[in-house]
Amino acid sequence: MNEYAFEVKGVSKSYPHFQLSDIDLRLEKGTIMGFIGPNGAGKSTTIRILMGLVHQDIGEVKVLGYSMPKNQVAAKWDIGYASEDMRLYARGSIQWHMDFVKSVFPSWDSNYAATLLKRFDLNSHQKIKGLSHGQRVKAGLLMILARKPKLLILDEPTTGLDPVARHEVLNELMDVLLDDERSILFSSHNTQDIEQLSDLITFVDKGKIIQSQDKESYLDSWRRIRLHLSADATLPNLKGVVEQRSVGSQAIITANGFNEEMAQTYQKCGAEIQAIETMTLEEIFVSEIQNNRQDLRAVTNDTKVEQGGNV
Amino acid sequence: MNYSLIKAMVLKDWYLARWPMLGYFSVGVISLLTLASGTTTGFYIGFILCLSTIVVIGVHLIFTTVVGERKDQTLAFMMSFPVSYKDYTLSKLATNLIGFIVPWFVLTFGSVIVIFSSDGLSDGLVPFVTISLGEVFVANVLVLTIAIITESEAWTIVVMATCNICASLFSFLVTSFPEIVEHMEGDVPVWNSTVKTMLSIEITLVVLLLAAIFYAQSRKRDFT
């Protein structure tokens, strides 16, 4: 039996102005992965490849044990997909949509649908065109949640929602995970939602996965260290330091892979440790992206120098 | 092929377009009554009204069920269902072709019956009317082909406008053939080789356009 909700191996996809490169990603059943990246990073393309809506140029994609895009029809019976730019039919009512989805999916749970209607404070007779953005998003989620799919793939589902609606949606998603067999991939650039909900964190930027690991150990590995420097102190280049900023006698170090040894090394170099702070996912996200882009720029510059030298 | 889901998608499209279709149907009934009024003027007014209604039905269905699916961002919702691109394409073809063929058939047969039963209209008109209605059918399939393949409102409008302009030119073209014109006022319809060739070209074009839809759809790698 397949232990993964999905597995992506060596997937690439090229467009004229964007390239998704060598994506490796897997999600264990019963877990929720937060998929974070800035706009245009490749989140939606990756998600569409998982849904079989976009065909990868190379690489292997398996969703619920089915090869994608070849077996997408079989896989989609058990996938619930919602994206920020997905709409329901404006002229149909919520009830009409519910009846339509029910007519297609035998797994539709009418009692659960009725419960969700109440929880989301939706009127089933209202037409989609008369709904607010938040109500539309909740109606869309109702259509997939009441089907009870094994895998939920949600592309920025909370974008544009007010705090109350966001809270309702996130609570419902947490309820989904009460069933050990069900899994969620949740993309967002709202790090608060991801931090609240996810077991795993995956960062994507410029078409590449730059980090993918479990949330707790990932958050735990990052620290911001505030130092007071003596006049003759020189800070060493330590492994894991992502950013180092100094103003006068003050220095702020951002570190990934923090450990006590790191703190001791700074102290030996004449720095006084004023604070060692944990970081929010948003702060880590910004550091990761900036660090990744600096690395990319460095690689590009090195390549240019090499090419210049060769000429 | 998931036929039950294809059927559900077709019924869904028709349901969402039911009120405008009912309106066009009412206009269609009035135009058929005018067409069958027994007078030559009534026939021509009814025929033009009926023809316009059929063109509008075809265009309306294409814009709401194919172009609208992309424009209104409901395509991703439908493609999240357990359907393949082929299923989706078949459902759009069925929605539009059946939705168009039924009124087109009623008009074609209605016109032929009225021509045969009316003393004021020559039976020789039948081949010309059949060729003209065939052109309307080809034009509808062409607009549908462009809409499904490009999913672009702009391209669909361009092709639709071109087809409408060409409809008048096509009538001039057909009436420029002496083999057709000389029999139009005759007592019996004459299905000579010119008429048969024109009808064959129309049928061939429809088959080629439908094949082009499946060929183009099978080559698509992005379906969002």
Side-chain angles (χ1 to χ4, degrees), chain B residues 5-208:
Chain B
L5 192 44
I6 292 171
K7 185 181 157 197
M9 288 195 287
V10 171
L11 293 176
K12 176 263 300 174
D13 280 339
W14 285 346
Y15 174 84
L16 292 171
R18 69 197 184 287
W19 295 119
M21 288 301 125
L22 203 63
Y24 299 138
F25 178 75
S26 309
V27 177
V29 169
I30 294 167
S31 55
L32 270 178
L33 291 173
T34 314
L35 188 135
S37 63
T39 64
T40 310
T41 313
F43 174 81
Y44 285 115
I45 292 172
F47 184 76
I48 289 167
L49 192 58
C50 211
L51 200 61
S52 308
T53 309
I54 286 165
V55 170
V56 172
I57 286 174
V59 167
H60 188 104
L61 271 176
I62 290 168
F63 272 84
T64 51
T65 65
V66 181
V67 178
E69 196 108 271
R70 159 73 67 185
K71 198 180 159 197
D72 300 338
Q73 296 175 296
T74 52
L75 180 62
F77 175 65
M78 269 333 298
M79 288 312 296
S80 73
F81 279 52
V83 287
S84 64
Y85 307 160
K86 213 173 179 180
D87 295 335
Y88 179 81
T89 305
L90 263 178
S91 84
K92 292 302 168 193
L93 280 177
T95 300
N96 285 277
L97 289 181
I98 297 170
F100 182 80
I101 282 174
V102 171
W104 178 84
F105 227 68
V106 171
L107 173 66
T108 307
F109 273 84
S111 306
V112 170
I113 289 166
V114 169
I115 291 168
F116 280 136
S117 58
S118 169
D119 293 335
L121 295 164
S122 316
D123 292 357
L125 265 177
V126 170
F128 172 74
V129 167
T130 311
I131 291 169
S132 299
L133 286 166
E135 188 274 339
V136 173
F137 187 68
V138 174
N140 180 265
V141 175
L142 176 63
V143 177
L144 179 61
T145 304
I146 297 301
I148 289 178
I149 292 174
T150 66
E151 297 168 33
S152 154
E153 187 178 37
W155 274 111
T156 310
I157 289 172
V158 166
V159 174
M160 184 190 72
T162 309
C163 285
N164 285 343
I165 292 164
C166 289
S168 313
L169 296 175
F170 183 77
S171 293
F172 281 117
L173 175 76
V174 175
T175 50
S176 70
F177 287 98
E179 297 89 339
I180 293 174
V181 177
E182 64 194 22
H183 300 294
M184 275 171 67
E185 292 185 3
D187 292 336
V188 286
V190 177
W191 303 95
N192 56 30
S193 61
T194 308
V195 173
K196 284 177 186 168
T197 305
M198 285 199 156
L199 289 173
S200 302
I201 290 171
E202 287 176 345
I203 292 166
T204 308
L205 278 175
V206 168
V207 172
L208 287 176

Side-chain angles (χ1 to χ4, degrees), chain A residues 17-169:
Chain A
H17 304 290
F18 175 73
Q19 190 168 17
L20 197 68
S21 311
D22 205 19
I23 300 292
D24 284 308
L25 210 54
R26 58 176 57 165
L27 177 67
E28 276 180 37
K29 283 182 179 169
T31 54
I32 177 161
M33 178 187 278
F35 199 39
I36 317 174
N39 291 330
K43 300 188 296 291
S44 296
T45 306
T46 307
I47 281 175
R48 285 169 186 163
I49 287 173
L50 279 170
M51 282 298 296
L53 301 176
V54 168
H55 296 194
Q56 65 270 26
D57 295 335
I58 52 165
E60 191 187 333
V61 180
K62 276 196 170 179
V63 179
L64 299 170
Y66 295 103
S67 239
M68 301 294 259
K70 194 181 168 197
N71 298 321
Q72 59 169 298
V73 174
K76 286 194 285 191
W77 282 107
D78 280 317
I79 305 175
Y81 169 68
S83 70
E84 186 203 3
D85 58 1
M86 186 169 103
R87 301 279 182 274
L88 300 177
Y89 293 95
R91 280 164 288 165
S93 66
I94 294 176
Q95 187 62 54
W96 175 81
H97 279 86
M98 285 163 62
D99 292 339
F100 177 58
V101 179
K102 186 183 173 183
S103 73
V104 174
F105 291 92
S107 58
W108 180 265
D109 184 337
S110 296
N111 292 332
Y112 184 38
T115 307
L116 284 173
L117 267 176
K118 276 187 196 161
R119 281 191 199 163
F120 286 161
D121 196 21
L122 294 170
N123 176 356
S124 63
H125 299 295
Q126 205 169 346
K127 286 197 171 172
I128 300 299
K129 67 180 170 191
L131 300 180
S132 67
H133 173 70
Q135 288 172 318
R136 277 205 308 268
V137 170
K138 287 192 283 187
L141 282 172
L142 186 154
M143 299 306 153
I144 57 169
L145 290 174
R147 279 168 45 194
K148 302 219 157 181
K150 286 180 185 161
L151 172 63
L152 282 172
I153 296 182
L154 308 173
D155 190 5
E156 313 252 3
T158 53
T159 301
L161 292 184
D162 64 62
V164 177
R166 247 179 61 212
H167 184 74
E168 288 171 342
V169 167

Side-chain angles (χ1 to χ4, degrees), chain A residues 275-289:
Chain A
I276 299 174
E277 300 164 350
T278 55
M279 293 171 70
T280 64
L281 188 61
E282 179 154 334
E283 290 166 333
I284 297 172
F285 169 56
V286 173
S287 285
E288 277 277 27
I289 298 300

Side-chain angles (χ1 to χ4, degrees), chain A residues 257-310:
Chain A
F258 171 79
N259 54 40
E260 283 306 315
E261 259 178 53
M262 196 177 255
Q264 286 164 6
T265 310
Y266 283 127
Q267 282 171 326
K268 280 178 193 165
C269 295
E272 180 196 337
I273 295 179
Q274 294 183 315
I276 299 174
E277 300 164 350
T278 55
M279 293 171 70
T280 64
L281 188 61
E282 179 154 334
E283 290 166 333
I284 297 172
F285 169 56
V286 173
S287 285
E288 277 277 27
I289 298 300
Q290 285 177 341
N291 187 39
N292 178 54
R293 290 183 180 180
Q294 273 169 8
D295 288 351
L296 280 175
R297 273 196 290 271
V299 169
T300 311
N301 288 339
D302 286 352
T303 313
K304 278 180 186 166
V305 169
E306 268 178 36
Q307 283 172 342
N310 290 339

